[in-house]
Amino acid sequence: MNDQLPTTSPFDGEPAEHRGQRALVTGASSGIGAATARRLAHEGYEVVLVARRRERLVALAEEIGEWSKAPVSIEQCDITDPEQVTSLRTAVGGGLHLLVNNAGGAVGQEPLAEADFEAWETMFASNVFGTARVTQALLPALEAAHGTIVFVTSTAAEAPYEGGAGYCGAKSAERAMVGSLRLEIVDRPVRVCEVSPGMVHTEEFSLTRFHGDQAKADAVYAGVAEPLVADDIADCITWMATRPTHVNIDRLVVRPRAQAANHKVHREG
Ligand code: 8X3
């Protein structure tokens, strides 16, 4: 056992007893996904952590397992690989109460005139096709449990910005999927929700976007007194999921106070 791991929940109050519900979080290895897994575990969900990086999932499962009263498990899966998604469906089996479609992200911020279409393919593979495949694969299990799906989109889907054609396009496509799905399954007992985060300072989002260039990644948040942190979005997701089951929160758009719009960010100094 790693004695660096916390032995108490990072949240106020005792973790809830196991509520007999199971939640699956994609992209759980860092950022919003990891924060959401912690929050849901604190609320008493049995959490299934899904991501490509097994060692990160193991460390997070150990951390949560130190204090959570509900079981936590891991499923290594690259959601862009159809065979791995099929295996995930088999591993999950029946009865899933909550799916958090968080895996995805941005790669590059070039103008269209200089766009790297391999980066676009990477973005569409995870944010759009991978998310669609996971949703399709797990829909029967969600329906069996009268479950909820929360898609983590982005304010990139609210309005395009310069250099965002690929990412804004992918997140807009994901948003369209959310809207279509909600219409298609209105007669079934599954809620379809969306959280649309603005500027969230996480370990990896901007670093990935700028191909590991830490200075460029840091510049995104420069002078912003309080960008959102991953747990702010995890808090929103947990709130949406824990409303009474007849209440469907269609979409929450969440930005830091200093970001009034994609283009309007107050920076100090
Ligand atoms: C994150 C928000 O502004 O980088 O999805 O597109 S933004």
Side-chain angles (χ1 to χ4, degrees):
M1 187 153 310
N2 182 345
D3 53 26
Q4 300 299 311
L5 297 175
T7 54
T8 55
S9 159
F11 307 109
D12 289 340
E14 270 285 292
E17 297 293 333
H18 182 21
R19 57 166 67 218
Q21 296 194 1
R22 197 154 57 120
L24 185 149
V25 182
T26 68
S29 53
S30 73
I32 292 171
T36 301
R38 289 187 185 96
R39 278 262 169 199
L40 293 172
H42 183 79
E43 288 293 324
Y45 282 90
E46 174 180 343
V47 183
V48 183
L49 310 172
V50 175
R52 288 172 297 185
R53 293 175 293 182
R54 184 175 186 81
E55 69 291 349
R56 280 188 169 240
L57 296 182
V58 169
L60 181 60
E62 279 183 22
E63 179 202 314
I64 292 173
E66 285 288 309
W67 50 261
S68 176
K69 295 180 179 169
V72 56
S73 61
I74 66 171
E75 291 295 337
Q76 184 177 18
C77 177
D78 178 349
I79 67 161
T80 67
D81 180 335
E83 283 183 15
Q84 292 188 39
V85 174
T86 301
S87 301
L88 178 66
R89 179 181 62 199
T90 305
V92 168
L96 180 66
H97 300 83
L98 175 62
L99 166 63
V100 181
N101 274 321
N102 165 71
V107 186
Q109 200 171 2
E110 295 81 23
L112 180 58
E114 293 146 30
D116 166 6
F117 293 115
E118 274 185 27
W120 284 41
E121 281 174 17
T122 300
M123 289 190 279
F124 276 78
S126 57
N127 294 288
V128 185
F129 290 103
T131 297
R133 263 195 202 99
V134 168
T135 303
Q136 185 187 65
L138 300 182
L139 205 47
L142 287 154
E143 194 173 340
H146 293 206
T148 301
I149 310 172
V150 180
F151 291 81
V152 181
T153 63
S154 168
T155 50
E158 306 297 324
Y161 51 79
E162 298 95 327
Y167 183 58
C168 295
K171 284 302 190 185
S172 297
E174 186 181 357
R175 169 164 298 172
M177 179 194 329
V178 177
S180 291
L181 179 66
R182 191 182 299 118
L183 295 168
E184 289 159 5
I185 63 170
V186 68
D187 58 344
R188 299 193 224 165
V190 178
R191 294 186 292 181
V192 181
C193 308
E194 175 187 352
V195 62
S196 174
M199 183 184 278
V200 186
H201 196 169
T202 61
E203 176 194 357
E204 294 186 308
F205 177 82
S206 291
L207 204 54
T208 302
R209 175 168 234 174
F210 295 114
H211 310 286
D213 186 327
Q214 189 70 57
K216 277 191 181 172
D218 290 345
V220 171
Y221 314 101
V224 180
E226 286 181 291
L228 298 178
V229 295
D231 186 54
D232 294 320
I233 304 305
D235 189 25
C236 294
I237 292 168
T238 304
W239 179 80
M240 286 193 282
T242 53
R243 292 314 84 212
T245 53
H246 66 288
V247 179
N248 195 101
I249 307 297
D250 286 7
R251 183 188 307 153
L252 276 184
V253 180
V254 190
R255 302 179 193 268
R257 185 163 48 79
Q259 184 184 34
N262 287 3
H263 286 85
K264 184 71 176 175
V265 179
H266 176 64
R267 297 181 193 272
E268 296 174 352

